Amino acid sequence: MNKSTIITSLLILVAMAGQTKTFKTIKTPEAMACVNVSNGELKAREVIFRDTATTVRFTMEYSKGKSFRFVSSSYLMDENGKRYPLRSADGIALDAWVQSPESGIIEFTMHFSPLPKRTLVFDFIEGDVPRAFKLLGIHDKKTKLKVPTMQELTEANPWTVPEDWFNTDTITVKGRIEGYNAELFGFTSMECYFEDVFEKSSTTLVLDIADDGTFCKKFQASYPVCQRFYTMESKNGFNEIAFYARPGETIDITVKKIEQGKYVCVYNNGSSRDVERWLRSSNAITDVLLPLVLFEGTFDEENSLADKVWQNVLYRLQTVSRREHYTPMEMQLALADVQAHFAESYMYSAMKREFALMKQEYRDGVYYTEILDSVEWNNLWDAKNYRQLQHIDFDNPLLFASSDYPHLLNRIQYAKPVTDRQYNGIVDEYGGYVNNEQNAKKELSNLPVGLKELMATGHENLMLQMCIYKTMLSNFNGWRNQEDIGFLDNIFSAYLRAFSHPYIHQKAEQFYAHKMEQTELSSPLPDVLMADLIRHLCEKYPGKYLLIDFWGMGCGPCRGAIQESKELRAKIAKRNDVKLIFIAEERTAEGSEAYHKYVDEWLADEVTICLTYDGFARMQELFRFNGIPHYETITPDGRRVRDDLQIQGFYNFDYEMNRLLERLK
């Protein structure tokens, strides 16, 4: 290239640069949530709006030595849902794994197609890939966003809850995955963690995928549910089937691949079709609650953050519902879902704070606890500090449809201000509780007081009644095992009077009738694959009761119970009437290196079995549990011991085992 050509080229570049207009620059923009950056945080330092491109300067704070990547299919999205693709990046390689440096900080710049100059809020999304990095709700913190109130959103979208909202019937989810190939997809089944709050236990539902891609699962529900079947074994990015169904419905779903290579669910009928816009976009709303989930700090700081997060989620709901064209039904369900997710996230942070404030040591069979901050610890017990719960309409039956409602119910039921009131004047200074009629009625009298204080309400709303209902389920076995039969009848009658809602009242009566019909102390296992494994163990250890401990390497309480009970288990092993079995969940049946190392150290002389995710899920479905550790007691002839006689671990083993043997004589 000669000298004159070079000069001409430079002049052209200068001229082009002179034509580029910068509309605005946002210094230190604010984001509503950083999503899927599990080992750090993605932040936007600066946003430059030009007529030729939108430039975003990012900072990635990531655990040193850990690797991450950004794909070239990343894009920005405005509030109307329009995409602005990534054109180029400086300071980071695209589509390549990058290792975080010693400092844990990487700064880089991305250039996208130009956003409209009047854009107020936008998202960064790292392509349509599983667990894509997202920075949602990027905006100038100086800009005051117009946020609707919950009342405004409700009144603008009137919809009447069906009269048969609460109804017990079966739900069937069926359909087909187009082009399914087990080897290419990486899985032959999917799972759903399902909890009907009117049942005592949660469970796992296993959805089998046939060779031709068809599937069908039937289960019982007491109200409409929004749930998903998912897999952790996907090889092609497709990993979940979301659905919404009312009791009595059959939902037909076709999973198909669209042009972009992404798999989507097509709902062919029923309630899922009625709310398909909400099903495909609900995460885009509730993701902005993540800062509350991840928060670690004081109550004052959490309440300050929660104020902002509540505003963000309402703004986000308005934005997503407009661009997806929600119907009034979808808007009302989304509003209820947002309330359930917000309140559960808020209460989850309080629960995390409880554990952070305690330093525990286990010495000589006794737990010793030191409170690290007595002022903040006392704040946990003060109902006035939970003021964010006043955002929630706890009488709204639509809350039940949210997948987060069972967790929220549990958090409210066991919140410190509630349990403090519940056992006031009942539990002695050493934590002792005498299970008699007087104390049981006192507990029932105390419980509504604590719940009303926590939720700042003056009446027995649906949540309050459900907390009392769940307490009844939890306490029933203890009442049943009392020698005084009149005690059970009297206390149950007192609880029944607490249920003014007709459906809760009906469910309580049905629960009582079902429990009293259980005259057998054990029941046969069904004719399924995992039950065959249990029967095989009974044959292998003839004449012995099996105490099965379901656990996992990722479960801290599981490992804690195993480690602390080693000496106790050595004594139990000397008995000739029982065998301890430890069944763990691992990615493969062979188990990881860490699993084998742990077993060698803590379970070397015990019977250990390793199941794949799929196999363990089938055990969860068989025995109806989700949480671990979980214990099951099996008779020598392969029958499952009734739940009120199950052996619950190792600490009271001799008492519980001898009680069981006495009852089975």
Side-chain angles (χ1 to χ4, degrees), residues 94-117:
L94 299 174
D95 301 317
W97 290 100
V98 176
Q99 189 176 68
S100 183
E102 187 70 21
S103 66
I105 297 175
I106 293 180
E107 295 185 346
F108 58 94
T109 301
M110 288 184 169
H111 309 281
F112 302 85
S113 293
L115 285 163
K117 61 181 179 180

Side-chain angles (χ1 to χ4, degrees), residues 542-556:
K544 295 192 175 186
Y545 287 84
L546 304 182
L547 174 57
I548 304 175
D549 180 345
F550 291 98
W551 69 289
M553 284 294 292
C555 170

